[in-house]
Amino acid sequence: MLITLPSRYFVTRKASGHCQNINVLSGHKNAILDVKFTNDSERIITASADFNLGVYDAMTGARIKRFMGHKGIVNACDVCSEGSPSLAVSASDDRTARLWDARIRGEVGSFEDEYQITAVAYANDGQVVYTGGIDNCITAWDVRQMRRSMTMKGHSDTITCLSLNPKGTHLLSNSMDGTMRTWDIRPFVDDAAGGKKRHDKTFVGGTHNAEKGLLNCAWSADGMMVTGGSADCVVHIWDELSAEELYCLPGHSGCVNAVIFHPKENIIASASSDKSIYVGELS
């Protein structure tokens, strides 16, 4: 089980029984803010406050490449689930989202926004990149034409994370306004009224605090549940269909920064500012 840690390295651990470190991946000179496995599970992409991204071998823990080019903190990264495992996208305080290919030196493209970008998600087919930032909006960028194609409005504060559902039809967002929302990103949905018709559901219960952390959000493997980080030290899990809260799991003594579902089993893991990772089975 892989969880991002607020340090210059991160650790992979076994998710059951006695927790034992498998690897320690080092190399960044500042905090690691986001981590993603490539879609073949052979590499790990990291985003860091040192302005760089790292590419690591998931088996050996060795850093095999470094993506350099951002001029600000790299807040988030993502990979596309159906495209080449060499492709990645990053979002930064330098107001850009940049495309990377591990087979090529340097970036392969970039999108420039007017404000700092704090969240990013890659469409399953790699043809669209979604970004969110301090302007409270979600922007869709056409990768083929390298231009902005759509803006979705509704949040009233900074967007801290974006996550695509397994089918690639809906986008989940977490925001400092204290809500998580889903958005219908299928191409035939009417884009009128600034994307308001694309807003699907709102999930209420999680909180953000004065620390202004980039709290995550995530879908279950079947897309039937959603979860996300929360400053109230509680893990919140909602039913995606009804938007009702299914689980409210206490235990942490600090802000819950990240929560993630197991890809195959009914297990969830949460990482907190209290320096602990909880792994539990949902009933």
Side-chain angles (χ1 to χ4, degrees), residues 34-81:
D34 200 7
V35 173
K36 291 290 191 301
F37 271 105
T38 56
N39 57 25
D40 60 3
S41 299
E42 294 185 0
R43 296 179 181 180
I44 297 169
I45 311 293
T46 59
S48 173
D50 64 6
F51 301 3
N52 299 322
L53 292 97
V55 182
Y56 294 84
D57 186 297
M59 293 299 295
T60 66
R63 189 175 72 182
I64 56 180
K65 196 174 185 66
R66 183 170 57 169
F67 295 141
M68 297 181 291
H70 279 296
K71 298 179 181 179
I73 293 171
V74 185
N75 296 307
C77 61
D78 199 19
V79 298
C80 57
S81 61

Side-chain angles (χ1 to χ4, degrees), residues 80-83 122-128 164:
C80 57
S81 61
E82 299 174 2
Y122 226 144
N124 287 353
D125 59 5
Q127 299 302 314
V128 181
L164 205 67

Side-chain angles (χ1 to χ4, degrees), residues 142-160:
D142 189 312
V143 173
R144 291 165 294 188
Q145 300 184 28
M146 297 303 294
R147 65 176 181 84
R148 188 192 311 259
S149 60
M150 177 177 62
T151 300
M152 294 177 284
K153 300 178 181 179
H155 282 297
S156 59
D157 207 339
T158 299
I159 295 167
T160 63

Side-chain angles (χ1 to χ4, degrees), residues 78 120-121 161-165 170-174 181 217-219:
D78 199 19
V120 68
C161 186
L162 296 172
S163 178
L164 205 67
N165 75 340
H170 289 73
L171 190 68
L172 177 67
S173 58
N174 195 350
R181 301 182 182 221
C217 56
W219 299 78

Side-chain angles (χ1 to χ4, degrees), residues 2-279:
L2 182 68
I3 303 293
T4 57
L5 299 177
S7 62
R8 297 182 182 181
Y9 60 88
F10 62 88
V11 181
T12 52
R13 301 177 184 272
K14 290 183 178 179
S16 60
H18 179 70
C19 292
Q20 179 182 355
N21 291 351
I22 299 172
N23 258 326
V24 176
L25 284 67
S26 60
H28 283 294
K29 298 179 180 179
N30 210 322
I32 296 170
L33 301 178
D34 200 7
V35 173
K36 291 290 191 301
F37 271 105
T38 56
N39 57 25
D40 60 3
S41 299
E42 294 185 0
R43 296 179 181 180
I44 297 169
I45 311 293
T46 59
S48 173
D50 64 6
F51 301 3
N52 299 322
L53 292 97
V55 182
Y56 294 84
D57 186 297
M59 293 299 295
T60 66
R63 189 175 72 182
I64 56 180
K65 196 174 185 66
R66 183 170 57 169
F67 295 141
M68 297 181 291
H70 279 296
K71 298 179 181 179
I73 293 171
V74 185
N75 296 307
C77 61
D78 199 19
V79 298
C80 57
S81 61
E82 299 174 2
S84 168
S86 298
L87 301 179
V89 64
S90 57
S92 171
D93 278 353
D94 64 10
R95 300 179 289 111
T96 67
R98 303 190 183 219
L99 301 170
W100 309 91
D101 189 330
R103 300 164 295 187
I104 299 174
R105 183 176 182 179
E107 67 185 58
V108 295
S110 66
F111 307 105
E112 186 170 353
D113 208 342
E114 298 175 358
Y115 303 93
Q116 291 94 324
I117 302 176
T118 52
V120 68
Y122 226 144
N124 287 353
D125 59 5
Q127 299 302 314
V128 181
V129 167
Y130 299 93
T131 61
I134 66 171
D135 61 350
N136 314 335
C137 298
I138 299 171
T139 301
W141 306 87
D142 189 312
V143 173
R144 291 165 294 188
Q145 300 184 28
M146 297 303 294
R147 65 176 181 84
R148 188 192 311 259
S149 60
M150 177 177 62
T151 300
M152 294 177 284
K153 300 178 181 179
H155 282 297
S156 59
D157 207 339
T158 299
I159 295 167
T160 63
C161 186
L162 296 172
S163 178
L164 205 67
N165 75 340
K167 294 182 179 180
T169 61
H170 289 73
L171 190 68
L172 177 67
S173 58
N174 195 350
S175 169
M176 291 182 187
D177 63 14
T179 67
M180 286 175 41
R181 301 182 182 221
T182 51
W183 309 81
D184 192 333
I185 56 174
R186 290 173 292 185
F188 56 81
V189 176
D190 189 355
D191 289 336
K196 290 183 179 179
K197 289 188 177 181
R198 291 187 175 273
H199 174 219
D200 189 23
K201 299 180 181 71
T202 300
F203 305 90
V204 179
T207 62
H208 288 248
N209 59 16
E211 294 180 0
K212 299 293 184 179
L214 298 181
L215 308 185
N216 91 318
C217 56
W219 299 78
S220 60
D222 59 6
M224 299 303 294
M225 294 184 289
V226 298
T227 187
S230 182
D232 60 2
C233 311
V234 173
V235 174
H236 299 273
I237 303 172
W238 292 269
D239 177 78
E240 195 282 328
L241 184 62
S242 66
E244 294 182 0
E245 189 166 0
L246 298 176
Y247 301 92
C248 185
L249 309 176
H252 284 294
S253 59
C255 176
V256 179
N257 299 308
V259 190
I260 190 169
F261 292 95
H262 193 282
K264 296 181 179 179
E265 300 179 24
N266 202 28
I267 292 174
I268 193 165
S270 58
S272 168
S273 296
D274 64 12
K275 301 181 182 180
S276 70
I277 299 170
Y278 286 177
V279 180

